[in-house]
Amino acid sequence: MTEEQALQHANMISKDIFGRDLGLSLDEIQRLLTKGIDLPVVMECSRTKTPVYMYDPQPGQQVISEAAFMEQANKDDWMMPKRDLATIEDFQKAWQEANYMKGDKSVESQDVAKSDSVISSQGVYMSSLISSSKNILFSHGNYFSNYLLACRGNSSCNFGIRLFDSIYCSSSYEVRWSNKVTKSMFINDSLDLYECIACFGIRSKKYCIANMQYEKEEYMKIKAMIIDWIFAGLK
């Protein structure tokens, strides 16, 4: 995924949720929206000195690019000549020589950029631990999901910004530990909501704000005010 495509997808997600573009650059999106999300870290390939994106790099571990990994694999299948390991120091030296971790890892995936640990996915940008998903940006640990921006730990979610540890949520912003939440914002620990804002612990409701019931017209007027407030905070 190119940077231009990533920004287009980010604005598409925003339009679905808020009815407008985010109006932010990719750098601004990363700075303003990704708090609490483990994004890949850019490292340097120990052999080619090229950038490599890595999830959870470990101290003392050498990082290697896919190209450098394959070059060595084709040469000797990464096997080392046998030598005597008479002391723990001998073992530690041999271990360090073999202590690599490959970055930019992806399996059966397409259009992946600046990401690591991506499986059976398409269209992934600056994300890690993504599986069976499409069009995922600045996210970590999402599965069976589509069009997510700055999300963590979700499954079967679509068109979300800052969804956390939730399932079957869509067209929503700032939803945590919830199930079947649609077109809602600032929701915690709730189930089966449609068009709700700033609610906690409620079930099977619509047009609620701060756990208070409103008529649809009242709700939509307040929602518009809240969206303006959200975007003012992103400037």
Side-chain angles (χ1 to χ4, degrees):
M1 181 185 288
T2 66
E3 292 188 355
E4 182 180 1
Q5 290 171 328
L7 192 56
Q8 288 174 349
H9 286 312
N11 284 322
M12 185 185 303
I13 296 166
S14 181
K15 281 183 178 178
D16 181 82
I17 297 169
F18 301 116
R20 63 178 83 170
D21 285 350
L22 275 175
L24 301 173
S25 67
L26 289 179
D27 287 343
E28 289 170 330
I29 289 172
Q30 183 169 350
R31 177 170 58 86
L32 295 169
L33 293 175
T34 62
K35 182 179 179 181
I37 298 171
D38 294 325
L39 298 180
V41 177
V42 62
M43 308 287 286
E44 183 180 80
C45 174
S46 61
R47 296 196 175 192
T48 64
K49 308 305 179 184
T50 55
V52 178
Y53 286 82
M54 186 91 181
Y55 162 64
D56 193 27
Q58 298 299 302
Q61 195 169 52
Q62 302 175 89
V63 176
I64 193 166
S65 68
E66 175 70 23
F69 170 82
M70 289 305 301
E71 181 181 359
Q72 188 70 35
N74 291 331
K75 182 180 178 180
D76 57 18
D77 203 25
W78 279 93
M79 293 301 296
M80 306 283 190
K82 180 182 175 180
R83 66 178 190 256
D84 185 36
L85 301 179
T87 68
I88 196 66
E89 289 76 15
D90 292 338
F91 160 71
Q92 290 174 328
K93 183 179 178 180
W95 184 12
Q96 182 58 32
E97 291 173 4
N99 190 21
Y100 283 90
M101 185 68 182
K102 185 171 66 174
D104 299 333
K105 298 183 293 297
S106 67
V107 178
E108 297 181 348
S109 299
Q110 298 82 41
D111 300 325
V112 177
K114 298 183 177 181
S115 299
D116 190 31
S117 300
V118 178
I119 301 173
S120 301
S121 296
Q122 180 176 344
V124 179
Y125 183 87
M126 197 59 173
S127 299
S128 59
L129 289 186
I130 306 299
S131 180
S132 303
S133 299
K134 293 182 179 180
N135 304 315
I136 308 296
L137 317 170
F138 297 107
S139 296
H140 171 80
N142 295 283
Y143 311 94
F144 306 106
S145 297
N146 300 302
Y147 290 100
L148 298 186
L149 170 61
C151 293
R152 186 194 73 201
N154 306 286
S155 179
S156 304
C157 292
N158 299 288
F159 286 96
I161 299 177
R162 293 192 58 79
L163 308 182
F164 291 83
D165 308 315
S166 296
I167 186 170
Y168 298 120
C169 293
S170 62
S171 304
S172 296
Y173 172 70
E174 282 286 359
V175 174
R176 295 173 183 264
W177 195 252
S178 294
N179 187 354
K180 297 181 181 177
V181 171
T182 304
K183 297 191 74 66
S184 298
M185 300 183 291
F186 306 111
I187 303 298
N188 288 327
D189 197 3
S190 295
L191 169 67
D192 188 26
L193 304 187
Y194 174 80
E195 286 286 9
C196 290
I197 300 172
C199 291
F200 166 77
I202 63 175
R203 306 289 186 265
S204 302
K205 301 290 184 182
K206 61 182 180 180
Y207 308 128
C208 290
I209 300 177
N211 288 44
M212 296 181 288
Q213 183 67 63
Y214 288 85
E215 296 298 324
K216 180 179 179 179
E217 290 185 3
E218 294 177 300
Y219 172 90
M220 290 301 180
K221 182 178 179 179
I222 298 171
K223 179 181 179 179
M225 176 185 69
I226 293 170
I227 289 175
D228 287 342
W229 169 71
I230 291 170
F231 275 74
L234 294 176
K235 292 182 180 179

